[in-house]
Amino acid sequence: MIPVILFTMRKVMKIRTILILLIITALVLLIILSSLKDMLGGVANLDLQKQLASVIFTFICFIWTVGIPVAVMVSTVGSGLVANEESEGTMLILSSKPLRRYEIVLGKFLGLFISTCIYTAAILCLTLLIFYKATGVDPESLDVLFRVLPGIFAYSALFIIFFAALSIFLSSLFRKRIPAVITLVFIIFYIFLISPFMLKSIVQHFSLIDLNYQFSNILYYSYIQTSGVKLAPSIQTYLGMAINLFIQDSRSFDPDIAAMPPSLTLNDSMSPLASVIYIVLLSFGFIIYSIVRLTRRDIA
Amino acid sequence: MVMNDNNVIIKTDKLTKKFGSFAAVNNLDILVRRGSIHGFVGPNGAGKTTTIKMLIGAMHPTRGSGSIAGHPLGSIPARRLLGYSPEFPVLYNDLSAVEYLVYMAYLGGIPPREGSKRAVVLLDKLGLVEFKKRKVGKYSAGMRKKIGLAQAIITEPELLILDEPTANLDPTGRMEVVETLKQLVKTRNTTIFISSHILTELEQLVDDVTMINKGETVIEGNMGNIKGVYNKGRFILKTSDNARVMAELHAHQLVSEIKETGDSEMLITTENPAEMKNKLVEILYTGKIILDRFAEEDVSLENIYRQTMSEGGR
């Protein structure tokens, strides 16, 4: 299986592609963070600055750094890993080698997972550096950011496991890259845009199967556990709403005092551990399905 | 063919592959001797490639079974023993020749450093060493074919399964490939199971042959024996007086058919070769006829193939 892992890593970690992704991610970060410089740098109260800096940093990582770019990277590469071997005929050669079919699927999954984790570690460090330089926060706030970083990385690893498994599942289901990519794009939109903002208001208890909620739940918990920062109620409320832990409507806000924590309803409360298990089980299911499908199939 | 199991490397027992109701391969029994070059011949659609795909473990048989050196088809020990080169080489186009071969060797259990050494030696042998760093996506069809063969050979397998290994190659390339295969048999006692349409070339290589049509075996066995069956009683004769010899042989009812073949030669078919030879000596001696040529007809694989297939495959 090791040759397949290494070969997949080589395919994923193409220097040019990685550099382009890093540059785009960094440029967008610079633009966003420059606009926050006055807000963060101008906060005289160090405690409040720590809170704001850590929340904004976590939120930026959730949406941008390990959100869209990583989902896109994993999906576009992963969707071709099995499908391209089949459509280009190289699976025939692989099937003649002393390699079990599950090793092909697992090797590709692990190769994609490891290389994306390496990329994510690099982009998280870069984000931290850019955040510190662009916002001009106090070095003590930087300590807090360092503390939340491992939690964000652990969350990212889970995020990568899910999207790597999903993309390999679609790759072996369709056996062609294009339909797999299109389906993945739709699923990403569904998870992060359609389900949290549209379906939730229609279907009660929808969050129990809503992946956006599950991911948010895990990240929020990891943030609370690792940052060591006591959030002011208003910041906690905004963060909770932004990552979809609270249900918000027009009654949640007062024009004078902004968000009103007591009037906010918590979404279906779920243990973060249950969210982790839910995502791991889904990913496991995707991989098992891909293995069974490839094992039973005749390679033409 | 009766063989000791230790001498057999490929054995199939009523191997069958159906796609819906269509049987691409039907109750196929194959025996391949260790250290032999075994030809696998048949018209397009006869089931050769499907059979090969079952042998390498890419396809699951619908019915029947098979083994490679006693290991079930598709099992890891079976695949560890074989190298396979498909009819149309499928490569990772973004890799260089050396990178591709190292990866293929690594999949076969050869560490990258050793794989790299072997890759260069093989590329040199196949006349591609100067292109070793070029991406295989930029290779010509013939070069790709050679790389496809090289990836099968690089692990030095006990059994090589080759699907049309010389198709798309120029004459020099063909000679190089044929020479490489001969060397493999000679130096490493590799068994080669080879499917090819180029029967004249195959004939020079193979010891045994299995001919299939419509998924079923038509002929199988040692090349010499098969030829023996097919050329029994067919002779080429050229004398100073063909007409008289023909008339005499007919008069004694010793020939069933005589054909003039051009270049003043006759093709004689007889059911009683010994008696016909005796009578021929007598006719020549008494008639003072000069014998220019007398030989058993050399039955080629191509002739056998043509004859067998024209008889409906049986």
Side-chain angles (χ1 to χ4, degrees):
Chain A
M1 186 159 52
I2 292 170
V4 182
I5 296 176
L6 295 177
F7 180 71
T8 307
M9 287 179 70
R10 188 200 146 107
K11 246 185 154 44
V12 179
M13 307 279 278
K14 282 189 177 152
I15 292 176
R16 205 172 61 178
T17 317
I18 294 290
L19 276 179
I20 291 171
L21 259 174
L22 283 174
I23 289 167
I24 292 173
T25 310
L27 279 177
V28 173
L29 270 176
L30 271 174
I31 295 165
I32 296 170
L33 294 173
S34 301
S35 64
L36 295 173
K37 188 176 181 177
D38 290 342
M39 188 185 108
L40 276 168
V43 177
N45 182 326
L46 186 61
D47 208 37
L48 186 61
Q49 192 193 62
K50 281 181 190 173
Q51 290 181 40
L52 279 175
S54 59
V55 165
I56 290 170
F57 179 74
T58 306
F59 191 64
I60 281 174
C61 289
F62 177 63
I63 294 289
W64 182 242
T65 309
V66 288
I68 297 164
V70 170
V72 169
M73 180 182 167
V74 173
S75 306
T76 47
V77 178
S79 56
L81 286 179
V82 177
N84 285 353
E85 297 272 13
E86 295 232 26
S87 60
E88 288 165 17
T90 42
M91 189 64 90
L92 187 62
I93 300 291
L94 285 186
S95 63
S96 73
K97 303 290 177 194
L99 194 67
R100 289 176 184 88
R101 300 225 179 142
Y102 80 81
E103 291 179 292
I104 298 175
V105 175
L106 271 187
K108 287 183 178 295
F109 169 73
L110 289 174
L112 180 59
F113 172 70
I114 295 167
S115 43
T116 317
C117 279
I118 294 170
Y119 166 80
T120 305
I123 194 75
L124 280 176
C125 292
L126 186 70
T127 307
L128 189 68
L129 183 72
I130 293 173
F131 192 93
Y132 180 61
K133 291 287 178 195
T135 58
V137 291
D138 193 272
E140 279 196 39
S141 297
L142 187 66
D143 284 347
V144 179
L145 302 189
F146 268 119
R147 280 206 299 273
V148 296
L149 208 56
I152 295 175
F153 183 74
Y155 157 80
S156 311
L158 198 68
F159 184 81
I160 295 164
I161 285 176
F162 176 77
F163 278 99
L166 176 66
S167 57
I168 283 178
F169 161 75
L170 292 173
S171 187
S172 51
L173 180 71
F174 289 109
R175 295 157 80 173
K176 280 186 182 152
R177 193 180 178 195
I178 301 297
V181 170
I182 292 170
T183 312
L184 266 165
V185 169
F186 175 77
I187 290 173
I188 291 170
F189 267 87
Y190 170 79
I191 292 174
F192 296 110
L193 290 172
I194 299 173
S195 96
F197 299 114
M198 297 166 90
L199 289 177
K200 194 159 286 171
S201 55
I202 304 167
V203 187
Q204 222 185 356
H205 304 302
F206 184 75
S207 47
L208 294 176
I209 55 163
D210 173 18
L211 284 162
N212 184 64
Y213 171 80
Q214 312 294 343
F215 282 123
S216 309
N217 199 16
I218 296 162
L219 186 64
Y220 184 73
Y221 178 77
S222 110
Y223 170 80
I224 296 294
Q225 291 297 310
T226 57
S227 67
V229 169
K230 282 194 173 176
L231 292 177
S234 57
I235 295 178
Q236 194 170 9
T237 308
Y238 277 124
L239 181 65
M241 285 191 301
I243 61 178
N244 216 9
L245 288 180
F246 296 124
I247 296 169
Q248 49 180 305
D249 57 37
S250 55
R251 288 166 301 167
S252 311
F253 291 88
D254 182 287
D256 298 323
I257 57 171
M260 299 191 302
S263 66
L264 286 168
T265 325
L266 198 64
N267 243 332
D268 294 301
S269 181
M270 199 162 167
S271 152
L273 182 65
S275 292
V276 171
I277 293 171
Y278 178 64
I279 287 170
V280 168
L281 280 180
L282 260 182
S283 311
F284 188 69
F286 289 145
I287 293 295
I288 292 292
Y289 175 86
S290 309
I291 288 171
V292 170
R293 200 172 160 84
L294 188 64
T295 305
R296 288 187 178 171
R297 187 184 295 165
D298 283 333
I299 308 297
Chain B
M1 253 190 284
V2 181
M3 267 185 253
N4 181 331
D5 265 8
N6 288 335
N7 292 334
V8 175
I9 193 154
I10 299 179
K11 185 180 182 180
T12 69
D13 181 23
K14 298 190 173 16
L15 198 66
T16 301
K17 182 69 190 176
K18 284 188 170 182
F19 298 106
S21 59
F22 171 70
V25 176
N26 197 11
N27 292 323
L28 196 65
D29 294 332
I30 301 174
L31 276 183
V32 177
R33 288 187 293 126
R34 270 180 203 273
S36 66
I37 303 187
H38 193 108
F40 192 46
V41 182
N44 287 335
K48 298 190 298 294
T49 300
T50 305
T51 304
I52 286 177
K53 283 178 180 172
M54 286 192 280
L55 293 180
I56 63 165
M59 282 187 171
H60 308 289
T62 310
R63 209 175 49 235
S65 61
S67 63
I68 288 175
H71 306 292
L73 293 183
S75 66
I76 295 295
R79 282 188 276 163
R80 212 165 266 142
L81 295 174
L82 67 88
Y84 163 66
S85 169
E87 181 176 1
F88 302 104
V90 277
L91 314 172
Y92 296 102
N93 291 333
D94 54 340
L95 298 186
S96 73
V98 170
E99 288 168 340
Y100 176 72
L101 292 178
V102 169
Y103 178 45
M104 290 293 115
Y106 201 9
L107 287 172
I110 310 291
R113 192 173 290 179
E114 172 63 19
S116 182
K117 280 183 205 161
R118 291 190 188 187
V120 174
V121 171
L122 262 177
L123 289 171
D124 189 28
K125 207 176 272 183
L126 292 167
L128 293 174
V129 76
E130 57 186 299
F131 308 105
K132 66 180 180 182
K133 286 186 179 165
R134 189 188 283 183
K135 299 259 187 273
V136 290
K138 291 179 179 168
Y139 274 27
S140 69
M143 290 160 90
R144 290 172 71 85
K145 192 82 192 175
K146 286 182 184 176
I147 293 292
L149 182 65
Q151 65 77 26
I153 296 172
I154 197 161
T155 52
E156 297 179 357
E158 213 172 295
L159 168 68
L160 258 183
I161 297 181
L162 310 174
D163 201 352
E164 301 286 351
T166 53
N168 291 325
L169 291 177
D170 58 26
T172 316
R174 276 184 187 172
M175 277 158 59
E176 281 168 356
V177 168
V178 168
E179 210 41 55
T180 307
L181 296 180
K182 281 180 176 168
Q183 281 292 319
L184 280 171
V185 176
K186 201 171 157 189
T187 56
R188 289 196 217 124
N189 201 30
T190 309
T191 310
I192 302 179
F193 185 77
I194 182 169
S195 147
S196 177
H197 276 112
I198 308 165
L199 299 181
T200 45
E201 194 174 83
L202 199 63
E203 191 175 357
Q204 292 168 26
L205 268 176
V206 299
D207 307 305
D208 302 323
V209 72
T210 298
M211 208 176 270
I212 66 165
N213 193 19
K214 294 172 187 161
E216 294 179 21
T217 310
V218 178
I219 297 173
E220 54 119 10
N222 178 270
M223 214 35 222
N225 295 345
I226 292 173
K227 280 187 173 180
V229 169
Y230 274 80
N231 72 0
K232 222 176 218 173
R234 284 164 76 90
F235 298 90
I236 295 162
L237 179 64
K238 185 180 178 185
T239 66
S240 57
D241 192 350
N242 281 350
R244 188 168 159 197
V245 173
M246 248 200 288
E248 294 257 1
L249 286 173
H250 264 308
H252 289 93
Q253 295 182 329
L254 283 171
V255 290
S256 48
E257 193 185 5
I258 296 182
K259 271 193 235 169
E260 283 192 88
T261 61
D263 199 23
S264 307
E265 288 182 348
M266 295 179 288
L267 181 64
I268 299 171
T269 309
T270 176
E271 280 164 17
N272 194 343
E275 207 176 319
M276 189 275 289
K277 282 177 194 169
N278 283 336
K279 187 49 89 185
L280 182 62
V281 172
E282 194 185 312
I283 295 167
L284 294 173
Y285 181 74
T286 52
K288 292 193 171 68
I289 298 166
I290 298 164
L291 178 66
D292 291 323
R293 189 177 174 214
F294 181 70
E296 270 190 312
E297 186 200 29
D298 184 22
V299 178
S300 66
L301 185 59
E302 200 161 334
N303 287 342
I304 298 170
Y305 175 83
R306 208 175 292 148
Q307 196 177 327
T308 315
M309 295 306 155
S310 67
E311 286 166 6
R314 273 279 172 202

